[in-house]
Each structure stands twice: as structure tokens, then as C-alpha cells.
Amino acid sequence: MDGNDQTCPKCKTTKYRNPAMILMVNACGHALCESCVELLFAKGSGACPECKCALRRQNFRIQLFEDPAVDKEVDIRKRILKEFNKRQEDFSTLREYNDYLEEVENIIFNLVFDVDSTNTNKMIDNYKKENKDITMKNRNRQSQEEIELEELLEAEKAQQSEKANSYVNAELEEKKQKHKAREKLIDELMFSDADAKSIVASHVQATAALAKEQPKAAAQAGGPVVKSSKFSSGIQIGLRQNTSSFLPIPKQQDLPLFHYSAPVFDYNGPSPPAIEVLGKLKYFANIRAANATERAGGYTEALSCCRALQEAMGGLFYIPQSGHKTAVAASAEETDDMETA
Amino acid sequence: MKLNVDGLLVYFPYDYIYPEQFSYMLELKHALDAKGHCLLEMPSGTGKTTTLLSLIVAYMKAHPLDLTKLVYCSRTVPEIEKVMEELRKLMNYYEKEMGMEQNILGLALSSRKNLCIHPSVSKEREGKVVDGRCYGLTASFVRARHAGDDAVPVCNFYEGFDAHGKEFPLPPGVYNLDDLKEYGQAKGWCPYFLARYTITHANIVVYSYHYLLDPKIAEVVSKEISKTSVVVFDEAHNIDNVCIDSMSVKITKRLLDKCSNSIQILETTISNMKENDNRRLEKEYQRLVEGLRDANIARETDMALVNPVLPSEILEEAVPGTIRTAEHFVAFLKRVVEYIKTRLRVQHVVQESPAGFLRDIHIKVCIDRKPLRFTAERLSSLIRTLEISDLTDFSPLVTVSHFATLVSTYTKGFTIIIEPFEDRAPTVSNPILYFSCLDSSIAIKPVFNRFQTVVITSGTLSPLDMYPKILDFHPVIMTSFTMTLARPCILPMIVSKGNDQVAMSSRYETREDTAVIRNYGNLLVEVAAAVPDGIVCFFTSYLYLETIVSSWYDQGIIDQLQRHKLLFIETQDAAETSLALINYIKACDNGRGAVLLSVARGKVSEGIDFDHHLGRAVLMFGIPYVYTQSRILRARLEYLRDQFQIRENDFLTFDAMRHAAQCLGRCMRGKTDYGIMILADKRFSRADKRSKLPKWIQEHLKDTNCNLSTEECVQISKRWLRQMAQPFSREDQLGISLLTLEQLQSEEMQKKIQQRAQAA
């Protein structure tokens, strides 16, 4: 058995002598057997017998790998990757992404081998502060790669069940047909008056024809239809866990500030007087003045007057171009043709 | 003689030609004209090699722009040598006829083991060791060190080749392995590198399948072969298995332990280097930041570690940041190895797809798919940078890195099977991870895509329509030729029952039945009494062979047998088997006569010929089905069913029958030869089995010979042997199975050939 050479460093029990021995590891990456853990950490916390660092009993886990150092590394890695979970989509170039990946790798390396731990921890804290929102966002999102893998697995599963069904059905069908053919033959031999030889011959022919047909049918049925996981428009069928329940908040700092510029209207006519000068030009003389209640709502007579003027003058100079007109006419004719056709 | 094949002038180095050789040339010419692939079956012993070579050489001469190169792939070194001999004969004939030197260069290529002339390295026995030591003497960094310090040994032959060999190309001619070595000795150049360098401009290259099919080797050796080449796979009846083997990886516990050791070596080397000379690591790092490829070109001697097939766009990309520095990469490798170790600790069989594996490795040890894909390339880069000259220790790690790259590159057509123990010994824990390729078309696809014509040929390719399916290609020509014979010189018979009318079969249910075993024994004894000289018997497996022989011993059949002939047995030990073979040949030569008991799919059934008196009869005991309980086979069958609509039973029968045909073909190596072929199993007479035999055997398998008992079989054999023992001269063959030029050109013969072409 592999792992027979595993030994508890404290009590020197080996897996060979005690097959039930389970090695456990804590954050420091040193292994201890289960009974030693019970003994040494009866109070719930204590020091690692090898490196003397303080450990809690709850944090002991069963050792997965042969090398406890790998256990430790994976542990740290999982913790760090929870924070450092930027994706390639978050970077503008591949180069930057790779640099980022290397930095993460560096941090993990430092933590595992206890190199420069104060600086590293500071770096982690900084990063946490700076990238809080991205981290939160990415936590709920799967990377493109993971989605791809999931889809593959899903497709495989669907295919497998489909296949199993289709083959079972095909076999059943085949059996049934054989059975039917045999019964038919016996019936005919029993009740018909024709020559027995010819009946048998025709039966043989029929079965041969069937056998020829069968592989064809099998070939047709063979390509199992993969259950599509998308609508034709490309939208996923069913809810996927990876799409977070609410939309991501759009990034705001990136957009330029809004500048108002007055719209320029093309009236195709003489420009109507501006709203401010209407009173001066005595336009209001012929208009009902707004009453008190209307004024309270923000309405003034200038507004309706201005609009009426704009409408009156708009389009006064508009001369339809001849080419344009014919084109319109032609297209109209065309549609007519289409209808008659 | 000079032939006119469909308007092409072909020089054929013999005075006589078989009619089927001429038909073969016609079909081959059509395929070359169409620039498509073809599948040709012609019985062994009818001169396939000569036919192929003479037609293709003639075609190259006539259309030098359309066809520039012939790549001839064969299986073993002796077969390569045979091809070179035929080629030499052809070239000599050309010289005699044309009266001048021919401007054609043909050469054979084999591994370093067969080509090395270095005084001490060539003494090594194992191929891997030779490769490793060669690398230690010729790697670019070793040579750079030698330039600074004369104490560092290098290979003088390689230095010689590097200094002068590239300017003076090999003069035209035909070079087999020995010629290359001789030439290398005379010039002081390394024959291996000379041959590899010459491949690019040679007209005819003869080498083993692996140089083209194994992506790890093909990348290095065969990359620069131009598109306008014709590739021939000879003896290609097993080509699908070669394809699958070249893409599959097997990882055992021991291999992983060795990996851990190599990782430790890497670690210490890196830390040493960091202290002493950090420059090289820095340089590598810079290079990796830029991208893997550009710095990698033109380092031909550093080929020892190469990547399995990768879509080339990935190689253009830069290495992901997670494995860019050396320490990180070593930690990464450690995690991969430890992860696989945990996977091997299973109690029951696990089968999963690459996608499932990738997801699991991501969850368990946080390894993404992308860095996994770069593992092989990154490892070779690291080993180069660290200047490790002894590569033999690292081969386990290289295997694991190939596995990592393959598993992350291909999600279809592969499966992972982890078996905690062997089926035969369920108590002994021996965990193995099989990364098994299920689709033989993956490895051969680049070959079909790259070259304009690929010829797949063998003596036994029946049923022909299976190969295009499992290799996934569309041949323009697919033909099976029969052997024209002046006399019925093969006698295939299906013996289905013993004298006591008990059916003979190797079916699982009747395997242990003493009546069946006794009947098999009686059949062999009676045949041994009637047939002179050598008899070869094939069993379905070693296990079956052993059980049968032990019960024959109990039943006294062995004693009876030894009254007539000596008895030899093939075992799984190669040395033992070759000793048995030598003595078998001795016994046949001096007239004592011998019986060889061997196994279908074994060494004897593939590639050892029993011509003339060495094999007057072949007995096939049972149908040689593969071991169907193997999970790898199950997975492959399933895949074939889903992807190519091949039914399980069809494939199993196809596989069994091609091996049976291969065994039967052992005794027939030419037209003057004759032999009895006995198929001792009731099931052979069924139409689905019979129709899968090669055409040239089927032709002689009459309906009356399909359901015989032992007694009848011996009677027929006796009569037939008397007939065959009559003197037989060339004159008897002339005009029927052997033609002179005039006969070939006669109207009657042309008509016959036309008919045959239409029938095919």
C-alpha cells in the first residue's frame, strides 16, 4: 500500500503498524497523527511540537497529500486566491495579466516559505483595500475557462444519458422484431396452405432485408442529438449559478463629465424670435395671458407663443428636391409591382 | 524491364512481373495523379516494396514538380534495411539502363542507438541511455562550455558535422544505416545528425512510423518535409494502434516517486544557480516574458525534450505568469505530481473525461488549464536553462509533463482511467493512471492534412472499409488485390469439430471443456503426422496457451506429438522466444520437423516469416479476440460507437480477423511457397467472420472446406500435399502468375487487367 512509510513525527507511529492512523496538518504545514492531536491539543489550542507556533485544534485537517508542505501551500493558495481573483478580462493586455499572476505567485511563495512576511502582509492588505469591489464582483463570477469546462461536462452528461436510452431502446426494438418475425413464420407454417419451403425462403429473405436495414437505422440513430443548452439566439436555457443575481454597477469614474451645449435646430425657414424677446416684440398682445393657477405650475404665455411661432416658420423655405421626389415615387412604384406580382 | 503504366515509363528492376504488381502500379498511379490518399491491400510475398518504389521513383522523374519526395515508413529496422536493398537494386537498374549516375538521394533514418559511431556512447545497449549521453555531449550549452574549457568532453563527430557537414550535402546515392555510419566514419561526421539534416533535401527517406506519427518526434524530425511528398505506410494493418499508443500516457506510482526525486534535483539546482550565477535564470525569465518560441529556433541538438502536439497559436503566446519564474514552476510541478498521487490512492476504478479532471485539479490544488497546457514546453526550457546534461533521470517527469499538456489540450477523444490494481491480481495494490487516446485519427490527422498523397498498404487490410472510418479520412482509391497463382498453393480450411463430433471453439464457455481441448490436441497430432517440416500454431492468448499445454500434458497428447516433431513454445520473454525460434529453424532445416506454439498478437505473429519448409501449415486455435474486459478497450469501443457509428461487435470481429489473417499469412511468403491454413473454430465458418478474411485467402476457401472434422481435414491435406510436392518450375508459372514484357503487353493480358480493374 502506498503511504506505508508515513510516520507521525511525534509518536513515531507508522501507517504500516497502525493502518487506521490518520495524519493531520495545520497552518504551519507540519503533520501530526490524530491521537497526538487529541493529546496535545486537549485544551483547544497549543504549540506545534516542531516549530512552536501557536495553533488551534479546530484548524487541524486531514492530510491530503503525501508531502505536508503541499497541503500547507494549497491552503495558503486557496486563501490568497479568494482575494486575488482578478480575471484576464480585468486587464487591458495579456502582459499585464501575466505580471499580475506572477505577483500573486510571489506572494504565495513568500507566505509559504516565510520570506519577508511583514512586507507581504502589508501588500495583501493594500491590495484588499484597493480592489475591494472587483474582488467582490469576481467572487460571484466564474471565469470564461470554468464556464467552458462546465459546459463540456454538461454536454457529456447529456450525451451519455441520451446514448444509454437510445441503445436500450434500439436493442429492445430489435428483440421485439425478431420475436414477431418468428411468431409470424410459425403461424404461417401452421395455417397457410402454401409450400413450407417457399414460406421459409420468403422468411429468410425478409430477415436478410431487415438485417440490411438495421445498421442504416442504427447509423442514423447513432449520432445522438446533443441536448442544446442554448436558445437559437445564444441565450442560456435555465438559470446559471455563475451569472450573479444583479447587474454589475457601471463604472462611473471612467466616463467624461457631461457638458451641456444648446441644441441647434434646423427649421428650414426664417429663425423664429428667441423666447426672451417675445414680450418686447409685443407678440403677447394677441394671446390670452396665463392665469394664476397656470403660472403656479411654471407655465407662461411665452412658451406656447414660442412654439406656435416655431411651428409657423418651420419648413417655410423647404423645397423638395426633384431627384429625391422621383426616387420616392420609383420606390412606391416598385412596391406596387411587388404587390401585383 | 521497361513498362508503360498508363502513359508513364516505369523502370522495373526484374525481368518478370506479376500481373497484380502491374495492377497495383495502375492504381497507385491514379492516386498520385489525383493527389489523394489510397488504401491498397496486396498479399505478402508479391513484391509490394519493389512495385511501390519503382512506380514512385518513375513518377518523381516524370513529374519533378508535382512530386518531390517519397517518405517510406516501415515498422522495424530489418524491414527498413529490406526497403533500402530494393531501392539499391532499382537505382542500379536505372544506372545500367540510362548509363549515367542518377541524381536521386535515398537514405534510411533510425534512432541514435542504431546510428551512433561515438566510441563509448555506441556501446550502450538501451536507446534511452544513448539518447541521454548523446545529449550530454552535444547540447548547445555543453559545447559552449567546451569552448571555454577543454576539459569538458564533447562529441568529435558532431563537432565535425557542425563545422563542415552542412556545406557539403551528401552525394546522390542510396544509403542504408551501415552506409551512413561508414560515410560518417570516413568524414568524421556524426551519421545521425547528418541523416537528420539531409532529410530535408533527400528524395527518398525511409524511417519508422514514429518519426511521422508520434507528435513528440514528428515535430522535430519531420517538420520541414514539403507538402508535395508521398507518404507510404507499409505493413500498416496495425496503424490505428500505433496512432493511439503515440498519444497515450501511462503513469504508475513508481514513476511519480521518481518524479518527486527529479523535482528535488531541480530545486537544489535552482537554488545553487541562484547563489552562484543568477544571470541565466534571469535571461530565461526575460525570454519567457516575451514568448516561448522565438528564442527556441535552430537548436537542433536540444531535441531531447519536446512538446506534444499543441495548436501552434498557443506556442506563439507568452507563458502564463504563474509558471514564469523557475521556483514557481517547480512548486507548480510539485503540486501536479502530488495531486496525481492523491488520485492514485483510490480504492476502486475511476473513469473520467479530461474536462472532469481539469475541474477537479482546479478545485483541489488551484491549477488552471492554461498553465497546465504549457507544462511540457516550460519544463524543457527549464532543463535547458539549468544545463542538466543527464536527461535519463528526468524522463518520468517529462512523461508527467506530457500528460499535463495533453490533458489540458484535448477535451475530446481521450479518457482517464485509474485502476487501483490489475484485474488478474486484485489483492496486490498497483495503481496506474491511464491517459488513453480513443481516437486513432487524432495522431494521423496532421499527416493526412499535410501531404498530398498518403498510401496505406499491407498484406492484410481486410475489411478495407474499416480503416477510413477509424482513421477518419477519405481515400480516393481503395483496392484489394488477389494473388494470381499457377497452382492452388494455399489450402485454407475451417475445422469445426473433432472426430467425436464435439464442436471446437475457444468460446469462453467451452474454454475449460476437456473434450474441446482434447480435440484441439488430436487435430494437432494428426496434422503433425501428415505434414512435413515445420508447423506453426497460434493461440488466442498466453494464458490460454498455458492452460491448454498443461492439459495436453495430462492427456498424453504432448507425448504423441513429440513422436512426430519437436515442440517449441513462445513465451513472453523475448530472449527465450528468440532462442526457441533459432532451434525451431534448426529442427526444420535438418529435416526433423518441429511444431511452434505461439500466440496471436505476439512477437512471432508480427514480422517473423515462415517461408517454405519453415511453415508448411499454420493452425489457428480459436478466434483471437482482444481481452474485452479491459477498460481502455471498453472506452474505445464506446467512443467508436458514438463518433463513427461502428458497432462494438463489428470492431471486435474486425480486430480479431485482421490478427488471424496476419497469423495465417506467416506461412505464405511467395508464389513458389505453399502452405496449409487451418482455422480451428466453429465460429470461423459464419459469414461475418469469413467475409472479413483477405480476398486472397477467401478465394481459396471453398464452401466444401468450411465445416470439416479432423479426419476430413487430414484427408484433404494429404491429397493436397501430394499435389504440391510435384516439381514446380518457372515455366509453369510463366504466362499465368509471372509475365514477361511481351506477355504483359499482349492483348489478352491487357484485357484481363482491365477486367480486374473494373472488378476492384
Side-chain angles (χ1 to χ4, degrees), chain B residues 639-680:
Chain B
Y639 185 82
L640 284 174
R641 194 180 58 194
D642 299 340
Q643 293 298 315
F644 302 120
Q645 280 81 50
I646 299 171
R647 288 172 156 208
E648 283 181 29
N649 266 334
D650 284 351
F651 183 79
L652 287 175
T653 315
F654 151 75
D655 187 63
M657 290 314 288
R658 71 172 166 186
H659 279 103
Q662 194 60 32
C663 296
L664 295 178
R666 294 295 102 201
C667 73
M668 197 50 206
R669 310 315 287 180
K671 293 199 171 181
T672 52
D673 202 354
Y674 59 93
I676 301 172
M677 299 169 172
I678 295 175
L679 298 149

Coordinates of all heavy atoms in Angstrom, one line a residue, chain B residues 639-680:
Chain B
Y639 N -16.4 4.9 -27.7 CA -16.1 6.1 -28.4 C -16.3 5.8 -29.9 O -16.9 6.7 -30.6 CB -14.7 6.5 -28.2 CG -14.3 7.8 -28.8 CD1 -14.6 9.0 -28.3 CD2 -13.6 7.8 -30.1 CE1 -14.3 10.2 -28.9 CE2 -13.3 9.0 -30.7 CZ -13.7 10.2 -30.1 OH -13.4 11.4 -30.7
L640 N -15.9 4.7 -30.4 CA -16.0 4.4 -31.8 C -17.5 4.3 -32.2 O -17.9 4.7 -33.2 CB -15.4 3.0 -32.1 CG -13.9 3.0 -32.2 CD1 -13.4 1.6 -32.4 CD2 -13.4 3.8 -33.4
R641 N -18.3 3.8 -31.2 CA -19.7 3.7 -31.5 C -20.4 5.0 -31.6 O -21.2 5.3 -32.5 CB -20.4 2.9 -30.3 CG -21.7 2.4 -30.6 CD -22.3 1.6 -29.5 NE -22.3 2.5 -28.3 CZ -22.4 2.0 -27.1 NH1 -22.5 0.7 -26.8 NH2 -22.4 2.8 -26.0
D642 N -20.0 5.9 -30.7 CA -20.6 7.2 -30.7 C -20.1 8.1 -31.8 O -20.9 8.9 -32.4 CB -20.3 7.9 -29.3 CG -20.9 7.1 -28.2 OD1 -21.8 6.3 -28.5 OD2 -20.4 7.3 -27.0
Q643 N -18.8 8.1 -32.1 CA -18.3 9.0 -33.0 C -18.4 8.5 -34.4 O -18.6 9.3 -35.3 CB -16.8 9.3 -32.7 CG -16.7 10.1 -31.4 CD -17.3 11.4 -31.4 OE1 -17.3 12.2 -32.4 NE2 -18.1 11.7 -30.3
F644 N -18.1 7.3 -34.6 CA -18.0 6.8 -36.0 C -19.1 5.8 -36.4 O -19.0 5.1 -37.4 CB -16.6 6.1 -36.2 CG -15.5 7.1 -36.0 CD1 -14.6 6.8 -35.0 CD2 -15.4 8.3 -36.7 CE1 -13.5 7.7 -34.7 CE2 -14.4 9.1 -36.4 CZ -13.4 8.9 -35.4
Q645 N -20.0 5.5 -35.4 CA -21.1 4.6 -35.7 C -20.6 3.2 -36.0 O -21.1 2.5 -37.0 CB -22.0 5.1 -36.8 CG -23.0 6.1 -36.3 CD -22.4 7.5 -36.3 OE1 -21.8 7.9 -37.2 NE2 -22.5 8.1 -35.1
I646 N -19.5 2.8 -35.4 CA -19.0 1.4 -35.6 C -19.5 0.6 -34.4 O -19.3 0.9 -33.2 CB -17.5 1.4 -35.6 CG1 -17.0 2.2 -36.8 CG2 -17.0 0.0 -35.7 CD1 -15.5 2.5 -36.8
R647 N -20.2 -0.5 -34.7 CA -20.7 -1.3 -33.6 C -19.6 -2.0 -32.9 O -18.6 -2.4 -33.5 CB -21.7 -2.3 -34.1 CG -23.0 -1.7 -34.5 CD -23.8 -2.7 -35.2 NE -25.2 -2.4 -35.2 CZ -26.2 -3.3 -35.2 NH1 -25.9 -4.6 -35.2 NH2 -27.4 -2.9 -35.2
E648 N -19.8 -2.3 -31.6 CA -18.8 -2.9 -30.8 C -18.4 -4.3 -31.5 O -17.2 -4.5 -31.6 CB -19.3 -3.2 -29.4 CG -19.3 -2.0 -28.5 CD -19.8 -2.4 -27.2 OE1 -19.7 -3.5 -26.7 OE2 -20.4 -1.5 -26.5
N649 N -19.4 -5.1 -31.8 CA -19.1 -6.4 -32.3 C -18.3 -6.3 -33.6 O -17.4 -7.1 -33.9 CB -20.3 -7.2 -32.5 CG -20.6 -8.0 -31.3 OD1 -19.6 -8.4 -30.6 ND2 -21.8 -8.3 -31.0
D650 N -18.7 -5.3 -34.5 CA -18.0 -5.2 -35.7 C -16.6 -4.9 -35.5 O -15.7 -5.5 -36.2 CB -18.7 -4.0 -36.5 CG -20.0 -4.4 -37.1 OD1 -20.3 -5.6 -37.1 OD2 -20.7 -3.5 -37.6
F651 N -16.3 -4.0 -34.6 CA -14.9 -3.7 -34.4 C -14.1 -4.8 -33.8 O -13.0 -5.1 -34.3 CB -14.7 -2.4 -33.5 CG -13.3 -2.0 -33.3 CD1 -12.7 -1.3 -34.3 CD2 -12.6 -2.4 -32.2 CE1 -11.4 -0.9 -34.2 CE2 -11.3 -2.0 -32.1 CZ -10.7 -1.3 -33.0
L652 N -14.7 -5.5 -32.9 CA -14.0 -6.7 -32.2 C -13.7 -7.7 -33.3 O -12.6 -8.3 -33.3 CB -14.8 -7.2 -31.1 CG -14.9 -6.3 -29.9 CD1 -15.8 -6.9 -28.8 CD2 -13.5 -6.2 -29.3
T653 N -14.7 -8.0 -34.1 CA -14.5 -9.1 -35.1 C -13.5 -8.6 -36.1 O -12.6 -9.4 -36.5 CB -15.8 -9.3 -35.9 OG1 -16.9 -9.4 -34.9 CG2 -15.8 -10.6 -36.6
F654 N -13.5 -7.4 -36.5 CA -12.5 -6.8 -37.4 C -11.1 -7.0 -36.9 O -10.2 -7.5 -37.5 CB -12.8 -5.3 -37.7 CG -11.7 -4.5 -38.0 CD1 -11.1 -4.5 -39.3 CD2 -11.1 -3.6 -37.1 CE1 -10.0 -3.7 -39.6 CE2 -10.1 -2.8 -37.4 CZ -9.5 -2.9 -38.6
D655 N -11.0 -6.6 -35.6 CA -9.7 -6.7 -35.0 C -9.2 -8.1 -34.9 O -8.1 -8.4 -35.2 CB -9.8 -6.0 -33.6 CG -8.4 -5.9 -33.0 OD1 -7.6 -5.2 -33.5 OD2 -8.2 -6.6 -31.9
A656 N -10.1 -9.0 -34.5 CA -9.8 -10.4 -34.4 C -9.4 -11.0 -35.7 O -8.4 -11.7 -35.8 CB -10.9 -11.2 -33.8
M657 N -10.1 -10.7 -36.7 CA -9.9 -11.3 -38.0 C -8.6 -10.7 -38.7 O -7.9 -11.4 -39.4 CB -11.1 -11.1 -39.0 CG -12.3 -11.8 -38.6 SD -12.0 -13.6 -38.2 CE -11.7 -14.2 -39.8
R658 N -8.3 -9.5 -38.4 CA -7.0 -9.0 -39.0 C -5.8 -9.7 -38.4 O -4.8 -9.9 -39.0 CB -6.9 -7.5 -39.0 CG -6.7 -6.9 -37.6 CD -6.4 -5.4 -37.7 NE -6.5 -4.8 -36.4 CZ -6.4 -3.5 -36.2 NH1 -6.3 -2.7 -37.2 NH2 -6.5 -3.0 -35.0
H659 N -6.0 -10.0 -37.1 CA -4.8 -10.7 -36.5 C -4.8 -12.1 -36.9 O -3.7 -12.7 -37.1 CB -4.9 -10.6 -34.9 CG -4.4 -9.3 -34.4 ND1 -5.2 -8.3 -34.0 CD2 -3.1 -8.8 -34.3 CE1 -4.5 -7.2 -33.7 NE2 -3.2 -7.6 -33.8
A660 N -6.0 -12.8 -37.1 CA -6.0 -14.1 -37.6 C -5.4 -14.2 -39.0 O -4.5 -15.0 -39.3 CB -7.4 -14.6 -37.6
A661 N -5.7 -13.2 -39.8 CA -5.2 -13.2 -41.2 C -3.7 -13.0 -41.2 O -2.9 -13.6 -41.9 CB -5.8 -12.0 -42.0
Q662 N -3.2 -12.1 -40.2 CA -1.8 -11.9 -40.1 C -1.1 -13.2 -39.8 O 0.0 -13.4 -40.3 CB -1.6 -10.8 -39.0 CG -0.3 -10.2 -39.0 CD 0.1 -9.5 -40.3 OE1 -0.8 -9.0 -40.9 NE2 1.3 -9.5 -40.6
C663 N -1.7 -14.0 -38.9 CA -1.1 -15.2 -38.5 C -1.0 -16.2 -39.6 O 0.0 -16.8 -39.9 CB -1.8 -15.9 -37.3 SG -1.8 -14.9 -35.8
L664 N -2.2 -16.3 -40.3 CA -2.2 -17.2 -41.5 C -1.2 -16.9 -42.5 O -0.7 -17.7 -43.2 CB -3.6 -17.2 -42.0 CG -4.8 -17.7 -41.1 CD1 -6.1 -17.6 -41.8 CD2 -4.5 -19.1 -40.7
G665 N -1.1 -15.6 -42.7 CA -0.2 -15.1 -43.8 C 1.3 -15.4 -43.5 O 2.1 -15.3 -44.4
R666 N 1.6 -15.8 -42.3 CA 3.0 -16.1 -42.0 C 3.6 -17.2 -42.9 O 4.8 -17.2 -43.1 CB 3.1 -16.6 -40.5 CG 2.8 -15.6 -39.4 CD 3.8 -14.4 -39.5 NE 3.2 -13.3 -40.1 CZ 3.9 -12.3 -40.6 NH1 5.2 -12.3 -40.5 NH2 3.3 -11.3 -41.2
C667 N 2.8 -18.2 -43.3 CA 3.4 -19.4 -44.0 C 3.5 -19.1 -45.5 O 4.0 -20.0 -46.2 CB 2.5 -20.6 -43.7 SG 1.0 -20.6 -44.5
M668 N 3.0 -18.0 -46.0 CA 2.9 -17.8 -47.4 C 3.8 -16.6 -47.8 O 3.3 -15.5 -47.6 CB 1.4 -17.6 -47.7 CG 1.0 -17.8 -49.1 SD 1.6 -19.3 -49.8 CE 1.7 -18.8 -51.5
R669 N 5.0 -16.8 -48.2 CA 5.8 -15.7 -48.5 C 6.3 -15.7 -49.9 O 7.4 -15.4 -50.2 CB 7.1 -15.7 -47.6 CG 6.9 -15.8 -46.1 CD 5.8 -15.0 -45.6 NE 6.0 -13.6 -45.4 CZ 5.1 -12.8 -45.0 NH1 3.9 -13.2 -44.6 NH2 5.4 -11.5 -44.9
G670 N 5.5 -16.1 -50.9 CA 5.9 -16.0 -52.3 C 5.2 -17.0 -53.1 O 4.4 -17.8 -52.5
K671 N 5.3 -17.0 -54.4 CA 4.5 -17.8 -55.2 C 4.9 -19.2 -55.3 O 4.2 -20.1 -55.7 CB 4.4 -17.1 -56.6 CG 3.7 -15.8 -56.5 CD 3.2 -15.4 -57.8 CE 2.3 -14.2 -57.7 NZ 1.7 -13.7 -58.9
T672 N 6.2 -19.5 -55.0 CA 6.6 -20.8 -55.1 C 6.4 -21.6 -53.8 O 6.6 -22.8 -53.7 CB 8.2 -20.9 -55.4 OG1 8.8 -20.0 -54.5 CG2 8.4 -20.4 -56.8
D673 N 6.0 -20.8 -52.8 CA 5.8 -21.3 -51.5 C 4.4 -22.0 -51.5 O 3.6 -21.7 -52.3 CB 5.8 -20.2 -50.5 CG 6.0 -20.6 -49.1 OD1 6.1 -21.8 -48.9 OD2 6.2 -19.7 -48.2
Y674 N 4.2 -22.9 -50.5 CA 2.8 -23.4 -50.4 C 2.6 -23.8 -48.9 O 3.5 -24.1 -48.2 CB 2.6 -24.7 -51.2 CG 3.5 -25.9 -51.0 CD1 3.1 -26.9 -50.2 CD2 4.7 -26.0 -51.7 CE1 3.9 -28.0 -50.0 CE2 5.5 -27.1 -51.5 CZ 5.1 -28.1 -50.7 OH 5.9 -29.1 -50.5
G675 N 1.4 -23.7 -48.5 CA 1.1 -23.9 -47.0 C -0.4 -24.2 -46.8 O -1.3 -23.7 -47.5
I676 N -0.6 -25.0 -45.7 CA -2.0 -25.2 -45.3 C -2.4 -24.2 -44.2 O -1.5 -23.9 -43.3 CB -2.1 -26.7 -44.7 CG1 -1.6 -27.7 -45.7 CG2 -3.4 -27.0 -44.2 CD1 -1.5 -29.1 -45.1
M677 N -3.6 -23.7 -44.2 CA -4.1 -22.8 -43.2 C -5.3 -23.4 -42.6 O -6.3 -23.6 -43.2 CB -4.4 -21.5 -43.8 CG -3.3 -20.8 -44.5 SD -3.9 -19.4 -45.5 CE -2.3 -18.7 -46.0
I678 N -5.2 -23.8 -41.3 CA -6.3 -24.4 -40.6 C -6.9 -23.4 -39.6 O -6.2 -23.0 -38.7 CB -5.9 -25.7 -40.0 CG1 -5.5 -26.7 -41.0 CG2 -7.0 -26.3 -39.2 CD1 -4.9 -28.0 -40.5
L679 N -8.1 -23.1 -39.7 CA -8.8 -22.3 -38.8 C -9.7 -23.2 -37.9 O -10.7 -23.7 -38.3 CB -9.7 -21.3 -39.5 CG -8.9 -20.3 -40.4 CD1 -9.8 -19.9 -41.6 CD2 -8.5 -19.1 -39.6
A680 N -9.2 -23.4 -36.7 CA -9.9 -24.4 -35.8 C -10.8 -23.7 -34.9 O -10.5 -23.5 -33.7 CB -8.9 -25.2 -35.1

